[in-house]
PDB file of all heavy atoms in Angstrom:
ATOM      1  N   GLY Z 553    -210.704  -9.504 -99.183  1.00 93.00           N
ATOM      2  CA  GLY Z 553    -209.489 -10.002 -98.662  1.00 93.00           C
ATOM      3  C   GLY Z 553    -209.565 -10.737 -97.298  1.00 93.00           C
ATOM      4  O   GLY Z 553    -208.926 -11.657 -96.858  1.00 93.00           O
ATOM      5  N   ARG Z 554    -210.563 -10.087 -96.482  1.00 92.00           N
ATOM      6  CA  ARG Z 554    -210.700 -10.652 -95.148  1.00 92.00           C
ATOM      7  C   ARG Z 554    -211.348 -12.035 -95.147  1.00 92.00           C
ATOM      8  O   ARG Z 554    -211.372 -12.738 -94.108  1.00 92.00           O
ATOM      9  CB  ARG Z 554    -211.552  -9.682 -94.350  1.00 92.00           C
ATOM     10  CG  ARG Z 554    -210.876  -8.390 -94.032  1.00 92.00           C
ATOM     11  CD  ARG Z 554    -211.240  -7.815 -92.718  1.00 92.00           C
ATOM     12  NE  ARG Z 554    -210.949  -6.465 -92.639  1.00 92.00           N
ATOM     13  CZ  ARG Z 554    -209.759  -5.912 -92.485  1.00 92.00           C
ATOM     14  NH1 ARG Z 554    -208.721  -6.754 -92.359  1.00 92.00           N
ATOM     15  NH2 ARG Z 554    -209.502  -4.653 -92.440  1.00 92.00           N
ATOM     16  N   LYS Z 598    -219.027  -1.948 -84.472  1.00 95.00           N
ATOM     17  CA  LYS Z 598    -217.688  -1.606 -84.916  1.00 95.00           C
ATOM     18  C   LYS Z 598    -216.901  -2.830 -85.401  1.00 95.00           C
ATOM     19  O   LYS Z 598    -216.265  -2.820 -86.422  1.00 95.00           O
ATOM     20  CB  LYS Z 598    -216.929  -0.939 -83.653  1.00 95.00           C
ATOM     21  CG  LYS Z 598    -215.544  -0.584 -83.973  1.00 95.00           C
ATOM     22  CD  LYS Z 598    -214.821  -0.073 -82.730  1.00 95.00           C
ATOM     23  CE  LYS Z 598    -214.574  -1.245 -81.740  1.00 95.00           C
ATOM     24  NZ  LYS Z 598    -213.884  -0.774 -80.445  1.00 95.00           N
ATOM     25  N   ASN Z 603    -214.720  -5.856 -89.993  1.00 93.00           N
ATOM     26  CA  ASN Z 603    -214.414  -7.106 -90.657  1.00 93.00           C
ATOM     27  C   ASN Z 603    -214.913  -7.153 -92.093  1.00 93.00           C
ATOM     28  O   ASN Z 603    -214.336  -7.837 -92.943  1.00 93.00           O
ATOM     29  CB  ASN Z 603    -215.136  -8.288 -89.900  1.00 93.00           C
ATOM     30  CG  ASN Z 603    -214.244  -8.915 -88.853  1.00 93.00           C
ATOM     31  OD1 ASN Z 603    -213.032  -8.608 -88.789  1.00 93.00           O
ATOM     32  ND2 ASN Z 603    -214.853  -9.693 -87.927  1.00 93.00           N
ATOM     33  N   ARG Z 618    -217.386   5.350 -77.986  1.00 94.00           N
ATOM     34  CA  ARG Z 618    -216.643   6.135 -77.004  1.00 94.00           C
ATOM     35  C   ARG Z 618    -217.558   7.137 -76.278  1.00 94.00           C
ATOM     36  O   ARG Z 618    -217.434   7.276 -75.014  1.00 94.00           O
ATOM     37  CB  ARG Z 618    -215.511   6.912 -77.601  1.00 94.00           C
ATOM     38  CG  ARG Z 618    -214.360   6.008 -77.995  1.00 94.00           C
ATOM     39  CD  ARG Z 618    -213.110   6.763 -78.446  1.00 94.00           C
ATOM     40  NE  ARG Z 618    -212.061   5.820 -78.711  1.00 94.00           N
ATOM     41  CZ  ARG Z 618    -211.011   6.065 -79.584  1.00 94.00           C
ATOM     42  NH1 ARG Z 618    -211.036   7.214 -80.242  1.00 94.00           N
ATOM     43  NH2 ARG Z 618    -210.119   5.144 -79.743  1.00 94.00           N
TER      44      ARG Z 618
ATOM     45  N   ASN Q 720    -219.269 -12.612 -87.875  1.00 94.00           N
ATOM     46  CA  ASN Q 720    -217.915 -12.812 -87.350  1.00 94.00           C
ATOM     47  C   ASN Q 720    -217.595 -14.308 -87.243  1.00 94.00           C
ATOM     48  O   ASN Q 720    -216.633 -14.798 -87.559  1.00 94.00           O
ATOM     49  CB  ASN Q 720    -217.680 -12.150 -85.970  1.00 94.00           C
ATOM     50  CG  ASN Q 720    -217.788 -10.646 -86.082  1.00 94.00           C
ATOM     51  OD1 ASN Q 720    -217.507 -10.052 -87.131  1.00 94.00           O
ATOM     52  ND2 ASN Q 720    -218.179  -9.980 -84.988  1.00 94.00           N
ATOM     53  N   ALA Q 791    -212.813  -6.568 -80.852  1.00 88.00           N
ATOM     54  CA  ALA Q 791    -212.757  -5.299 -81.441  1.00 88.00           C
ATOM     55  C   ALA Q 791    -212.280  -4.249 -80.393  1.00 88.00           C
ATOM     56  O   ALA Q 791    -212.291  -3.023 -80.783  1.00 88.00           O
ATOM     57  CB  ALA Q 791    -214.247  -4.867 -81.976  1.00 88.00           C
ATOM     58  N   GLU Q 793    -209.836  -1.946 -78.540  1.00 76.00           N
ATOM     59  CA  GLU Q 793    -208.478  -1.416 -78.921  1.00 76.00           C
ATOM     60  C   GLU Q 793    -207.693  -1.067 -77.699  1.00 76.00           C
ATOM     61  O   GLU Q 793    -206.597  -0.488 -77.794  1.00 76.00           O
ATOM     62  CB  GLU Q 793    -208.623  -0.260 -79.899  1.00 76.00           C
ATOM     63  CG  GLU Q 793    -208.967   1.032 -79.234  1.00 76.00           C
ATOM     64  CD  GLU Q 793    -210.531   1.162 -79.172  1.00 76.00           C
ATOM     65  OE1 GLU Q 793    -211.254   0.184 -79.143  1.00 76.00           O
ATOM     66  OE2 GLU Q 793    -210.944   2.301 -79.153  1.00 76.00           O
ATOM     67  N   PHE Q 814    -209.472  -8.213 -88.624  1.00 89.00           N
ATOM     68  CA  PHE Q 814    -208.168  -8.940 -88.658  1.00 89.00           C
ATOM     69  C   PHE Q 814    -207.786  -9.281 -90.109  1.00 89.00           C
ATOM     70  O   PHE Q 814    -208.603  -9.327 -91.028  1.00 89.00           O
ATOM     71  CB  PHE Q 814    -208.327 -10.191 -87.826  1.00 89.00           C
ATOM     72  CG  PHE Q 814    -209.515 -11.027 -88.102  1.00 89.00           C
ATOM     73  CD1 PHE Q 814    -209.645 -11.745 -89.259  1.00 89.00           C
ATOM     74  CD2 PHE Q 814    -210.555 -11.075 -87.172  1.00 89.00           C
ATOM     75  CE1 PHE Q 814    -210.756 -12.483 -89.508  1.00 89.00           C
ATOM     76  CE2 PHE Q 814    -211.741 -11.836 -87.427  1.00 89.00           C
ATOM     77  CZ  PHE Q 814    -211.789 -12.497 -88.564  1.00 89.00           C
ATOM     78  N   PRO Q 816    -206.897 -12.242 -92.348  1.00 92.00           N
ATOM     79  CA  PRO Q 816    -207.182 -13.653 -92.182  1.00 92.00           C
ATOM     80  C   PRO Q 816    -205.958 -14.538 -92.205  1.00 92.00           C
ATOM     81  O   PRO Q 816    -205.885 -15.530 -91.498  1.00 92.00           O
ATOM     82  CB  PRO Q 816    -208.075 -13.939 -93.412  1.00 92.00           C
ATOM     83  CG  PRO Q 816    -207.862 -12.850 -94.353  1.00 92.00           C
ATOM     84  CD  PRO Q 816    -207.484 -11.689 -93.597  1.00 92.00           C
TER      85      PRO Q 816
END
Side-chain angles (χ1 to χ4, degrees):
Chain Z
R554 294 214 198 282
K598 177 185 73 180
N603 271 345
R618 285 188 178 153
Chain Q
N720 296 335
E793 77 273 26
F814 48 73

